[in-house]
Amino acid sequence: MIKVTNTLSGKKEIFKPLKDKQVNMFVCGPTVFDVAHLGHARTCVIFDAIVKYLRSQGYDVFYLQNITDVDDKIIKRAAEEKVPWKKIALKYEKLFYRSMKALKVTAVSHYARATDHIPEIISQVERLLKKGYAYFLEDGIYYDISKFKDYGKLAKRTKEQAEDGVSRIDDAVGKRNKGDFCLWKKSKPGEPRWNSPWFFGRPGWHIEDTAIAEKYFGTQYDIHGGGRDLIFPHHEAEIAQMEAISGKKPFVKYWLHTGFLTINKEKMSKSLKNFTSIDEFLANTEDGARVLRLLIIKNHYRSPIEFNEKIVDQAKREIKSFDEFIERLQRVEKKEQKNRLKIDQFQKAFKQAMDDDFNTPKALGVIFTLIKQANILLDKDQLSKEDVKNIQIFLKDVDNIFGFIFGGAKKNIPPKVAALVKEREKYREMKDFAKADELRAEIKKLGYIVDDTPHGPVVKKIK
Ligand code: AMP
């Protein structure tokens, strides 16, 4: 039984999809006016792991993510660079996919661009006008929040706060309520524009997500995720739009929000210019994708992550310990059938942790305990090939979700080097250190170095 913390109720609830084991899930994607940074990685990687876990438990998840490819920020960037807005949007969309691929974020079933859903957006605005929830101003069509009695039920407030996605509050003269937001903006000359029953215009920010979601899922679905900056006004506005249109509640059954990735205690963001891009991080960090996935997944999705060198170094050390352990397992030759390690207990503990609101830090703790116990048995030469097989199967299952345990560079070690390392170990065991040193020199000539660790030799390519 999986439990999730639902922002809507503020409580941990039993997870029961609307229909059997089918899960429709939507997570807010990027506004493509700049490169993706570590804050985006935080939200995208953790939802990637959550979806992969749900699938491993037999849920049939359709994971949809939008791409905001029409927005004030894109228009501004295009004007600054004197290029068409579409060029900016396409460029950064492409770079976003590249960063996601590098981070092994592969769970998304479909990416949906706002600009590919203009008819669906217009249809929603039409219905809101017809039902009396929307009104015309000089510069666009606005949503009247006073007409929607439940406005504020997600965020438990109706006014902005510092952490909100405030850059998108639509200011306009004549709004009926301060919090009213734009559904369809009148396009200024040179801006992106589409024809509509009213005037040439472009969509407001909140309406794209409900229009896309309605197309794929209908008027109600299971999970909506995003960073906590989006709770208000973005997700609040989505509820107001869709529940007003359909008359059905709740629009989304479970709302899941991630904590921020912060730097000097401030949210990492493009607007604050305090960001490290994913590409930059990967280019400067050895095994960066695994390191980044680990440092994200070792934190609970709802907790903030304060990003600094210390946590990167710690994650690097942990990745190294995985590599050493995996390599060590490969050297076990003991044929004995007796299983000394109760792998099913670890599997159970892992599942328990993940079922409890996707408690990834606790689940990872189970893996570290397993490695510690297995290393003790290895030291005493008490781990059998059978144990190794069971550990490897379990770790592979875990890695299909986490994506940082396997993949150490060592797997690329040429067979000749691997054979020399093995031979050298035999001489070391016989305490023939002179011969062992000879072989070390031979290995070095082939471009590799051997480190003798308490858990056995670790081989690295010389840079
Ligand atoms: P944006 O491009 O700012 O619209 O953000 C795209 C997605 O990344 C949204 O779900 C945001 O909530 C999330 N996001 C952006 N910055 C951060 C951050 N510093 N920490 C966590 N999530 C973030």
Side-chain angles (χ1 to χ4, degrees), residues 28-31 37 39-40 43 227 229-230 260-261 267-268 270:
C28 288
T31 303
H37 57 67
H40 296 121
T43 293
D229 52 329
L230 302 185
F260 293 143
L261 183 130
K267 180 192 168 206
M268 182 175 280
K270 292 179 251 191

Side-chain angles (χ1 to χ4, degrees), residues 159-226:
K159 295 206 166 52
E160 297 101 52
Q161 282 178 358
E163 66 177 26
D164 299 334
V166 280
S167 55
R168 324 274 181 101
I169 306 283
D170 305 294
D171 278 325
V173 184
K175 279 205 306 190
R176 291 183 189 164
N177 312 284
K178 192 173 180 301
D180 289 355
F181 50 86
C182 195
L183 296 165
W184 186 255
K185 287 179 202 227
K186 202 175 263 181
S187 297
K188 296 187 191 110
E191 283 186 354
R193 56 180 227 157
W194 288 266
N195 206 354
S196 76
W198 321 288
F199 42 79
F200 278 97
R202 58 189 173 99
W205 179 36
H206 314 304
I207 197 86
E208 67 172 271
D209 290 3
T210 45
I212 291 170
E214 189 185 11
K215 174 176 168 181
Y216 290 92
F217 302 152
T219 51
Q220 290 178 298
Y221 62 95
D222 303 288
I223 304 178
H224 193 321

